[in-house]
Amino acid sequence: MRVVFVHGACVRDGSWWWHRTAALLRERGVPSVAPALPSCGETGLPAGTGGPGLPEDVAAVRQVLLDSDEPTVVVAHSYGGIVTAEAAAGVGSVRHLVLVSSYLPEAGQSLSDFGDGGPAPFLDADPETGTFGVRPELLVETFLHDCDTEVQAQAADHLARQSVRVTGQPVGASAWQQVPTTYLVCAQDRGTPPHLQREFARRAGNTIELAAGHHPFLSHPATVRDVLLNL
């Protein structure tokens, strides 16, 4: 088994966001990888107007999934669920999807379909550059309040401006309809309200509720490891 971790919006260096759980999995002989998302400027092309969007993110993750025939669990965080819905569709090695505080879009839906029509207060959109990002001053209290001070201090260095066009681009498939899916509801999340997560989770075959904020793989890595090992 291997794990492929698909990070959320407005961050880069997925391996950093995933590193605490990844280390615990390695101790159990389970390798993992965190693909770079082009829309976050991780692959050399700048994010923004005319830059990479959802199709490029889907292609990048799908290539990693196709690189190995090893049985694979995909852990998709937040926006990563949008990417994974299409990227994992029809990939025979994918045995399970784990959605963390995330979205399970139907084919034809986009990230914007899960919002209320307005920008979240913790995000900053720049129409001139066609990017959006997390407001650094709200990062810890919104997303990392249950993490230790070391993680809180380092996280800002792993934020990214992302192409805003990803919010309106629809997915072309829904892998969660084809593959066993577990949803991790983060009950202390201040970014994606728990009541919305529970609504999203109705589409998954299994739901597990954690007493955690938006990034349980950083704040409760052993718990997330155990969930994955017991799928």
Side-chain angles (χ1 to χ4, degrees):
M1 168 179 147
R2 69 166 179 158
V3 175
V4 174
F5 173 70
V6 184
H7 70 67
C10 304
V11 302
R12 58 180 177 83
D13 308 328
S15 59
W16 181 84
W17 295 93
W18 177 245
H19 75 279
R20 291 199 166 178
T21 299
L24 297 179
L25 288 171
R26 279 197 304 273
E27 293 175 357
R28 301 293 184 90
V30 178
S32 62
V33 62
L37 299 186
S39 74
C40 293
E42 293 188 279
T43 57
L45 294 174
T49 304
L54 177 61
E56 289 79 9
D57 290 348
V58 167
V61 172
R62 189 171 182 83
Q63 185 58 59
V64 171
L65 295 177
L66 293 171
D67 280 345
S68 172
D69 293 329
E70 191 170 8
T72 299
V73 174
V74 183
V75 179
H77 180 233
S78 196
Y79 163 74
I82 301 291
V83 180
T84 298
E86 184 170 347
V91 179
S93 61
V94 175
R95 303 298 174 84
H96 208 107
L97 305 179
V98 177
L99 285 298
V100 183
S101 188
S102 190
Y103 311 94
L104 290 82
E106 300 270 7
Q109 285 189 305
S110 67
L111 181 61
S112 61
D113 290 320
F114 294 92
D116 60 5
F122 49 78
L123 295 177
D124 165 49
D126 183 352
E128 289 189 9
T129 63
T131 63
F132 72 116
V134 173
R135 297 182 184 274
E137 68 275 15
L138 299 179
L139 172 63
V140 170
E141 68 178 74
T142 305
F143 297 111
L144 301 166
H145 58 93
D146 64 333
C147 293
D148 61 41
T149 55
E150 179 181 5
V151 165
Q152 292 175 349
Q154 294 175 359
D157 292 334
H158 302 278
L159 294 179
R161 302 291 299 183
Q162 184 169 6
S163 300
V164 74
R165 59 201 297 240
V166 301
T167 62
Q169 293 176 310
V171 301
S174 300
W176 54 270
Q177 294 178 331
Q178 309 164 3
V179 180
T181 301
T182 295
Y183 194 105
L184 300 190
V185 173
C186 299
Q188 296 175 2
D189 196 338
R190 298 174 181 173
T192 306
H195 74 275
L196 291 181
Q197 294 180 55
R198 296 183 186 109
E199 182 178 324
F200 303 155
R202 292 176 184 172
R203 293 181 172 181
N206 184 42
T207 300
I208 297 173
E209 189 148 327
L210 305 179
H214 194 65
H215 296 85
F217 35 86
L218 283 171
S219 60
H220 296 79
T223 300
V224 176
R225 174 204 58 194
D226 291 346
V227 167
L228 299 178
L229 292 178
N230 287 300
L231 291 175

